[in-house]
Amino acid sequence: MVAPFVLVVMNGVKTSTDYAAHGPLSVPQSLSLANLQTFWQQVDFGQVLVNSVLISACVAVFAVLLSILSAYALGIGRIKGRTTILVLFLLANLLPQEALIYPLYYLANQLGLYDTRLVVIIIFTVIQSAFGTYLLSSVLGAFPRELLEAARIDGAGVWRILWRIVVPISRPTITVMLTFFFIWTWNEFLIPLVLLPSNQNETVPVALGLAQGEHMVDVTMQAASALLGIFPAIVFFLIFQRTLSRGITLGAIK
């Protein structure tokens, strides 16, 4: 049995001090970017990065716009069957992607959109906007009615009330949704794996699977690929960190 602080090796005894200096938890002696470069070239990470950024950004923008329009009708317009529609949106968010993958695959083939980034953008826009509508409609449901009535008296129409009054006041919540939609779409794996089989259209999470071989695992390569995969999402989060924190805090205060 190996003692807690002494390791017996072939050429003698290594103390805990030596193990801390040269073991797996020791401070690196040098910095090597070889695995980053190898992975970048192996999967054409530049194209993969463009795919993920394009898909995530488009989904975030389109899903937020669709959520705003839907929530405006449900939260302020008070259309008939509002509660039923919100329940359906909530149930849609509870469906696992495994149950949707074959219908989506069949539909993409029928429409000629299989292996195109457009089909993934459309699918995730619908999925994310379902949650966004449910969240934003509850916020707009508590919108001050006096403010809306004053705008109508001043001659403001429906669209002007939406874009000049409702959206600016709800900007913190909308920014939170935009940030979450981008990160959630960035991390999606199953649907891009099935609907984007070609290397030129694959996303970052799918490309990360290439770091693991069939009969062996290169741990350092996996670590390098994980670093490249998470770095853009961290940068995006840091850019919107202050706005995100303000939006969450404002929602908690309300």
Side-chain angles (χ1 to χ4, degrees):
M1 182 176 180
V2 181
F5 299 103
V6 179
L7 294 177
V8 179
V9 294
M10 294 298 295
N11 58 350
V13 178
K14 181 182 290 187
T15 64
S16 59
T17 303
D18 296 330
Y19 186 75
H22 304 287
L25 299 180
S26 61
V27 179
Q29 301 297 321
S30 61
L31 179 64
S32 175
L33 302 178
N35 283 313
L36 294 176
Q37 183 179 2
T38 302
F39 177 75
W40 189 289
Q41 296 174 350
Q42 179 180 343
V43 301
D44 190 13
F45 194 76
Q47 180 62 43
V48 171
L49 190 62
V50 170
N51 294 336
S52 282
V53 171
L54 178 63
I55 292 174
S56 300
C58 289
V59 169
V61 173
F62 294 153
V64 165
L65 289 176
L66 188 57
S67 299
I68 291 173
L69 297 177
S70 302
Y72 183 63
L74 294 172
I76 294 180
R78 297 289 182 176
I79 64 175
K80 293 182 179 181
R82 172 179 179 270
T83 304
T84 303
I85 295 175
L86 290 178
V87 170
L88 292 176
F89 277 126
L90 180 60
L91 292 177
N93 282 279
L94 298 178
L95 289 176
Q97 292 187 1
E98 291 80 3
L100 301 174
I101 193 63
Y102 179 74
L104 293 176
Y105 169 79
Y106 180 81
L107 184 61
N109 268 325
Q110 292 296 314
L111 296 177
L113 296 176
Y114 181 68
D115 198 17
T116 63
R117 291 173 294 192
L118 178 60
V119 68
V120 177
I121 292 174
I122 294 174
I123 291 172
F124 283 128
T125 296
V126 175
I127 292 175
Q128 308 291 21
S129 63
F131 174 79
T133 301
Y134 176 78
L135 174 65
L136 195 57
S137 61
S138 61
V139 175
L140 298 186
F143 204 85
R145 295 290 166 177
E146 298 79 7
L147 188 59
L148 299 176
E149 291 298 331
R152 293 190 182 99
I153 293 176
D154 290 340
V158 175
W159 289 103
R160 189 173 182 181
I161 292 176
L162 172 62
W163 298 113
R164 295 294 182 89
I165 298 176
V166 175
V167 171
I169 294 178
S170 305
R171 187 174 299 170
T173 304
I174 294 174
T175 305
V176 171
M177 291 169 47
L178 182 71
T179 306
F180 283 164
F181 289 168
F182 182 92
I183 296 177
W184 289 346
T185 306
W186 182 278
N187 291 328
E188 288 291 345
F189 177 77
L190 180 60
I191 291 179
L193 176 66
V194 176
L195 299 183
L196 300 176
S198 63
N199 294 333
Q200 64 179 0
N201 290 326
E202 67 184 8
T203 58
V204 170
V206 177
L208 295 182
L210 297 179
Q212 180 174 350
E214 182 178 359
H215 301 293
M216 63 177 297
V217 178
D218 189 341
V219 178
T220 55
M221 179 72 73
Q222 283 188 322
S225 63
L227 178 61
L228 285 176
I230 198 175
F231 182 74
I234 293 177
V235 171
F236 182 85
F237 177 80
L238 292 177
I239 292 175
F240 291 95
Q241 180 183 13
R242 180 175 299 180
T243 307
L244 180 63
S245 301
R246 188 185 304 121
I248 295 176
T249 304
L250 182 61
I253 294 176
K254 286 184 178 180

